[in-house]
Amino acid sequence: MRIALFVTCLADTVAPEVGVATVRLLERLGHEVVFPPEQTCCGQMHVNSGYPAMALPLVRRYVETFERALGEGPDGGAEAVVVPSGSCTGSVRHQHADVAEQAGDTALAARARAVAARTFELSELLVDVLGVTDVGAWYPHRVTYHPTCHSLRMARVGDRPLQLLRAVGGIDLVELPGAEQCCGFGGTFAVKNADTSSAMLADKCSAICSTGAEVVSAGDASCLLHLGGGLSRLSTTRGDGTPRAVHLAEILASTRADRPERVTG
């Protein structure tokens, strides 16, 4: 299958290894991955901050870029769009058409819905579209998984990431207490409500450490950036090692032949 990658602006800026891992994983499974260079941001930050009008150009750009990728022209031929982020997938699926409708552009809203219907978070693409849960990964570490808020409540990926992690060779997957509790990032929430965010992060880091895991994984680089920072500061305070934050794509891309466990955050 030919698959177009929407890498997300955050991963492109602070965690490019997530995009690299996504491409390596899908190519290992026999698929062709294309990267439309015109892509930018999904606009979620603008919408969540109360500026939908500022998100409109970004929505239009996403729609135009991936319409071409999914179309029949010389830059087309993709059958799906993959996003290594539940948060940005949720925005494409649940915010784009609304932003266009609020601006009175019903034609763009219809086009946004059509592109969103072919846009999938990474675990959704693997399990639902490609029909695979065992991707042939090898990751001999004790891992706990944090289901990010938007992956659960906007993209609704459910337990697909856990289905994939359970099939990874060598992994010791342990349950995270209070897994569905927010880590406190929430995009601009962490900036506007720093004290509350810090308290929520402390609770989440304590739960992660209680599992004895070497690695905490999630499907959103944004939350892993937040968690990685909290765990790193905790490690400095305690003077001992704490779990590392690693994106789901990096674990699934790992094989016996390589050990690409770059820390996020």
Side-chain angles (χ1 to χ4, degrees):
M1 178 183 288
R2 185 177 171 92
I3 301 165
L5 170 64
F6 176 49
V7 74
T8 81
C9 61
L10 191 142
D12 185 44
T13 304
V14 302
E17 63 276 8
V18 173
V20 172
T22 301
V23 173
R24 191 171 59 211
L25 167 64
L26 293 174
E27 287 184 343
R28 191 178 76 219
L29 294 174
H31 303 285
E32 179 188 5
V33 182
V34 295
F35 180 82
E38 301 85 1
Q39 62 183 275
T40 55
C41 169
C42 68
Q44 180 182 174
M45 185 182 299
H46 305 73
V47 177
N48 292 352
S49 300
Y51 302 102
M54 295 180 68
L56 183 62
L58 297 170
V59 170
R60 181 174 288 110
R61 191 175 185 109
Y62 181 91
V63 170
E64 291 173 347
T65 297
F66 288 101
E67 272 184 339
R68 279 195 295 275
L70 295 165
E72 298 180 354
D75 298 326
E79 296 178 60
V81 180
V82 64
V83 190
S85 164
S87 185
C88 297
T89 302
S91 178
V92 169
R93 194 171 293 162
H94 297 290
Q95 293 181 336
H96 278 194
D98 284 347
V99 167
E101 291 280 6
Q102 287 179 38
D105 194 337
T106 55
L108 178 61
R111 293 165 61 196
R113 291 190 185 93
V115 175
R118 299 173 69 182
T119 298
F120 302 91
E121 182 269 344
L122 176 60
S123 70
E124 290 180 325
L125 179 82
L126 291 166
V127 176
D128 296 349
V129 180
L130 304 181
V132 60
T133 52
D134 185 348
V135 297
W138 171 258
Y139 199 77
H141 299 284
R142 190 170 202 186
V143 176
T144 194
Y145 176 74
H146 168 60
T148 65
C149 296
H150 282 180
S151 72
L152 275 180
R153 301 176 180 96
M154 286 185 73
R156 298 186 183 280
V157 303
D159 71 344
R160 295 174 183 84
L162 289 170
Q163 291 181 46
L164 293 159
L165 287 171
R166 290 186 190 112
V168 172
I171 198 170
D172 178 12
L173 186 63
V174 292
E175 185 176 353
L176 176 62
E180 296 187 6
Q181 182 175 318
C182 178
C183 70
F185 178 63
T188 55
F189 174 84
V191 177
K192 294 178 178 178
N193 303 277
D195 290 343
T196 303
S197 172
S198 295
M200 296 169 73
L201 176 62
D203 287 346
K204 179 61 71 174
C205 287
S206 177
I208 293 168
C209 291
S210 74
T211 66
E214 303 166 66
V215 169
V216 57
S217 186
D220 276 290
S222 52
C223 298
L224 287 171
L225 185 70
H226 190 58
L227 290 171
L231 291 167
S232 177
R233 290 190 291 275
L234 188 60
S235 177
T236 300
T237 302
R238 298 186 348 177
D240 59 5
T242 55
R244 304 181 300 277
V246 179
H247 194 279
L248 174 68
E250 295 178 86
I251 294 178
L252 299 181
S254 301
T255 67
R256 286 180 183 271
D258 52 36
R259 304 185 64 181
E261 45 177 300
R262 189 186 188 288
V263 175
T264 302

